[in-house]
Amino acid sequence: MRKIALLAVAAYTLSSCAELQQVANQLPGVLEQGNVDIAGGLKEALNNGINKQVVKLTAVDGFFKNEAVKILLPDELKKVDKTLRDVGLSKMADEGLKVLNRAAEDAVKEATPIFVDAIKGMSFTDAKNILMGNESAATTYLQNSTSTALYAKFNPVIKNSFAKVGADKIWANIITKYNSLPLTKDVNPDLTDYTTNKAMEGVFKMIAVEEKNIRTDLSSRTSDLLRKVFAMQDKP
């Protein structure tokens, strides 16, 4: 019985060692850097980007009065804008630009949790490579790994926001008015697609702002974890 018990203990020990080795192989970033949770630090940095920077976009004029992310007209509509102003319809042109930004502001308010959930998928291997990357490496990772799925979820939100802020009616009126003018070529832009892409671009820009702050400004590292993790990428 004693031999059987010893064999059982030995088997269990070997099994546990194998499991520990498997875990070690899956967590190289943590084990190679003095047990510092690199992935946790990068996730915190990205979450800070959302909580501190992206939230600014949800306020009135969050897009419209922020030159870094303000949504301008697509090339197809720049001629429309100029023509309307030339014929005395500047107020209509101004309102058309404003409601595109209003739709983005409204949509980001509802879509922010999508970005939060996406951050959870970052692996430790990804984290180690991101940490030693450039000043926007974490943001780029998030953008590359989520854009397709985010677009699918973000687009209907923008469409609903267009209706909510009246952008669909305003732009239908603008396009109808423009197309009725003599010597103009009819236009029919997909403003939902355009605004969706621009809104997502704005969100990632704001996340990148916070990531850069944390990477380059010690005072932006507001927790012990952020200080420990980002100290590893500081230049000597």
Side-chain angles (χ1 to χ4, degrees):
M1 288 293 293
R2 187 176 179 182
K3 287 183 178 180
I4 294 174
L6 288 171
L7 286 172
V9 170
Y12 175 79
T13 301
L14 289 171
S15 174
S16 298
C17 288
E19 290 176 1
L20 286 172
Q21 185 59 51
Q22 186 177 9
V23 171
N25 291 337
Q26 293 172 348
L27 309 180
V30 171
L31 297 180
E32 291 175 11
Q33 299 292 341
N35 294 320
V36 176
D37 185 359
I38 296 174
L42 286 165
K43 290 176 183 180
E44 183 177 338
L46 288 170
N47 278 318
N48 282 357
I50 292 168
N51 295 329
K52 292 183 179 180
Q53 301 293 341
V54 176
V55 70
K56 296 176 183 178
L57 301 178
T58 66
V60 174
D61 291 329
F63 271 88
F64 191 61
K65 291 189 177 179
N66 182 339
E67 292 302 318
V69 297
K70 181 178 180 179
I71 299 175
L72 303 177
L73 293 178
D75 291 340
E76 183 180 4
L77 292 181
K78 287 178 181 177
K79 186 176 181 180
V80 174
D81 182 82
K82 183 178 185 306
T83 301
L84 291 177
R85 296 181 190 282
D86 288 345
V87 298
L89 296 173
S90 294
K91 186 175 181 180
M92 179 181 283
D94 290 339
E95 188 63 18
L97 181 60
K98 183 180 292 185
V99 292
L100 293 185
N101 287 272
R102 288 286 181 270
E105 291 157 9
D106 186 59
V108 170
K109 196 179 302 180
E110 298 183 43
T112 297
I114 298 171
F115 295 90
V116 176
D117 289 341
I119 292 170
K120 296 176 183 178
M122 184 188 297
S123 72
F124 286 92
T125 302
D126 291 328
K128 186 178 179 184
N129 293 332
I130 291 166
L131 180 64
M132 306 314 292
N134 62 35
E135 65 186 20
S136 62
T139 305
T140 300
Y141 165 83
L142 184 61
Q143 186 171 10
N144 291 340
S145 61
T146 64
S147 288
T148 300
L150 286 172
Y151 181 94
K153 293 182 179 180
F154 212 107
N155 189 261
V157 176
I158 289 288
K159 186 175 182 180
N160 290 336
S161 295
F162 264 45
K164 183 176 177 180
V165 303
D168 50 354
K169 292 179 180 179
I170 290 170
W171 271 100
N173 188 28
I174 289 174
I175 296 301
T176 299
K177 177 69 72 173
Y178 175 80
N179 288 344
S180 69
L181 295 172
L183 304 177
T184 59
K185 183 179 179 180
D186 286 2
V187 296
N188 185 29
D190 185 348
L191 287 174
T192 301
D193 172 77
Y194 176 78
T195 306
T196 297
N197 282 311
K198 286 298 181 181
M200 289 173 58
E201 183 180 304
V203 168
F204 288 121
K205 277 186 178 180
M206 296 306 288
I207 294 173
V209 166
E210 186 63 20
E211 180 184 357
K212 182 179 179 180
N213 287 343
I214 291 172
R215 284 184 181 273
T216 60
D217 182 359
L218 295 180
S219 66
S220 293
R221 300 172 189 177
T222 54
S223 72
D224 287 340
L225 180 57
L226 287 176
R227 285 188 283 272
K228 288 177 182 177
V229 169
F230 284 92
M232 296 178 187
Q233 56 96 67
D234 290 339
K235 304 300 180 185

